[in-house]
Amino acid sequence: YHRRLCDLSMTLIWLKDAVNQEGDSRQRDSHWTKWLDDTKIFIRYSLRNTGMKITLPYLNSDLKTDIIVTLYLAPIWWLLGFNLFIYQIITFWLALKLFVSFRNQGTAIRIPKVAVYLFLLIAIYSISLIINLPFRETNRSIGSLYSFSYWIMGAILIIVVYNTMSFEDWHAFVRPLIFIIMTAGCVVSIGIFLWFSGYEDLAFQSPLLMIFRSLETTLVLQQGTTIQIIRSDWFNSALWPRFNAFGPHPNAFAAMLVLVLPLAVALSKMESEKKWITKWAIVGFGTLSLLSSLSRTSIVALALAICIVYILSLRHSKALVAALLVVAALSFPLLSGPLQWFYGLRAESSH
């Protein structure tokens, strides 16, 4: 440590001499050259003896860091139009890194038991695609294949996380998840202000769409590369604002929130140093973004998921869990009417 400090001091001395040196230009150039040579030697010595390593995301970083960087870059992917394919590419790259790493270590890749159900759904989905693709329109077929890629991506991501992370590693995802929710909430808040100011539709082309105009010929590709923040849609027989962020359309944005919001709330609650205002800001911005998407299925899915998680949290009291399940089963017919009313609020909409 002291030797490295001495080397650093020598470089500073050479810098001072080079600046204060008076004489001809040839002598000044020689001092600068010697200072640069000594600096290079010091950097190489420090890296070699301290074990310092430059970490580049997606190249020599660990898989957890890659996922965190991907979450932080979500707004950039969206604005550039890369969210159409970037997550699939990154997921397959993570799977390749996992395969190469485990192969070099001679370790087998584990598959969680819960993923078996997902693989079963993927198999059913793939059979449905094979049967129905020849009879569907090109745009709908491309959309179905694009949706299928998210099922594959989710299965791969589950395997990557299961093999590389422990429960303690999830604390590292608190900040990026909060960042996504807060950023989405700010976008929606600005959008609400603009909508009441007269901007009923606000959309612009991403740089990717500006370069590749052929993407406009397919509806899914066009939606994925068009940045549409505000749109007006029918809700309860009136024109309401509908907002989107980080996704090709509001339904995809809401589906992302259904996954991110509960996880962010749960992880932030586990962080004792998080202030109460931060936790309420997460809930507030997340709920505002979800409701402003006007995605009926996502709103119902979040409410249903909260009920299921609450019931599962009472697993130590089997009698209470059984009683709640019976009550839920008996009350389901009573909920069919309100659900039909809720889904009918956007009956006039074409989306």
Side-chain angles (χ1 to χ4, degrees):
Y1 177 76
H2 290 289
R3 184 176 179 181
R4 291 197 299 273
L5 289 179
C6 292
D7 291 340
L8 179 59
S9 300
M10 290 298 298
T11 58
L12 295 177
I13 292 174
W14 279 112
L15 176 61
K16 180 180 179 181
D17 292 340
V19 173
N20 296 329
Q21 180 65 34
E22 294 182 359
D24 57 2
S25 60
R26 182 178 302 174
Q27 188 175 5
R28 288 198 301 272
D29 291 341
S30 65
H31 275 272
W32 278 108
T33 303
K34 184 171 179 57
W35 175 78
L36 290 174
D37 293 338
D38 288 344
T39 302
K40 294 178 181 178
I41 294 173
F42 167 70
I43 293 174
R44 288 197 297 267
Y45 172 82
S46 299
L47 293 175
R48 183 175 64 253
N49 290 273
T50 61
M52 294 176 61
K53 182 181 179 181
I54 299 177
T55 302
L56 298 176
Y58 306 119
L59 295 180
N60 59 346
S61 58
D62 57 88
L63 298 179
K64 181 179 71 174
T65 301
D66 294 341
I67 297 176
I68 292 175
V69 171
T70 303
L71 293 176
Y72 274 121
L73 293 178
I76 305 299
W77 305 136
W78 178 50
L79 293 176
L80 294 177
F82 289 173
N83 62 341
L84 180 67
F85 57 83
I86 191 65
Y87 298 111
Q88 288 86 340
I89 293 176
I90 292 176
T91 301
F92 280 101
W93 177 249
L94 295 179
L96 180 61
K97 290 178 64 175
L98 176 68
F99 175 77
V100 173
S101 175
F102 275 40
R103 184 179 181 182
N104 294 335
Q105 299 174 6
T107 307
I109 297 178
R110 300 171 298 161
I111 298 179
K113 295 181 180 179
V114 294
V116 175
Y117 301 102
L118 181 58
F119 290 135
L120 179 60
L121 292 175
I122 290 175
I124 296 174
Y125 198 159
S126 60
I127 295 174
S128 175
L129 288 176
I130 295 174
I131 295 175
N132 294 289
L133 279 181
F135 307 101
R136 306 185 71 180
E137 299 177 358
T138 303
N139 282 334
R140 295 185 64 87
S141 298
I142 294 176
S144 298
L145 292 173
Y146 184 70
S147 300
F148 183 67
S149 70
Y150 274 88
W151 287 75
I152 301 296
M153 179 178 64
I156 295 175
L157 192 59
I158 288 175
I159 295 175
V160 170
V161 172
Y162 184 75
N163 284 270
T164 58
M165 300 182 194
S166 61
F167 182 76
E168 289 73 16
D169 293 328
W170 283 100
H171 293 277
F173 292 91
V174 175
R175 292 181 180 274
L177 291 177
I178 293 176
F179 169 76
I180 288 178
I181 293 177
M182 294 297 188
T183 306
C186 291
V187 171
V188 170
S189 300
I190 296 174
I192 293 175
F193 172 78
L194 292 176
W195 192 82
F196 281 104
S197 299
Y199 295 89
E200 296 184 356
D201 290 282
L202 179 60
F204 55 91
Q205 296 179 342
S206 66
L208 184 63
L209 184 58
M210 295 179 183
I211 297 174
F212 300 99
R213 291 292 184 179
S214 58
L215 296 174
E216 295 179 337
T217 58
T218 304
L219 180 61
V220 175
L221 303 181
Q222 182 184 9
Q223 288 180 342
T225 52
T226 300
I227 314 303
Q228 187 168 23
I229 302 177
I230 309 174
R231 61 189 293 183
S232 298
D233 211 337
W234 290 101
F235 188 81
N236 196 19
S237 302
L239 204 60
W240 284 71
R242 197 177 185 193
F243 302 99
N244 174 43
F246 311 152
H249 49 78
N251 287 330
F253 172 51
M256 180 269 293
L257 289 173
V258 171
L259 298 175
V260 172
L261 180 57
L263 186 59
V265 172
L267 292 177
S268 62
K269 190 175 181 179
M270 296 170 59
E271 298 284 341
S272 57
E273 67 273 10
K274 296 294 182 184
K275 297 182 179 179
W276 65 269
I277 190 172
T278 303
K279 300 175 182 178
W280 280 107
I282 296 173
V283 176
F285 275 116
T287 304
L288 175 65
S289 301
L290 180 60
L291 295 178
S292 64
S293 68
L294 300 184
S295 178
R296 297 157 295 176
T297 301
S298 298
I299 295 173
V300 173
L302 180 60
L304 183 61
I306 292 175
C307 295
I308 294 175
V309 171
Y310 175 74
I311 293 175
L312 293 177
S313 65
L314 303 174
R315 60 184 179 274
H316 298 294
S317 179
K318 296 182 179 180
L320 181 58
V321 172
L324 289 176
L325 291 176
V326 171
V327 172
L330 294 176
S331 60
F332 182 77
L334 301 177
L335 296 175
S336 60
L339 286 176
Q340 291 180 1
W341 169 81
F342 181 69
Y343 274 95
L345 291 177
R346 287 186 55 232
E348 299 87 350
S349 176
S350 59
H351 300 83

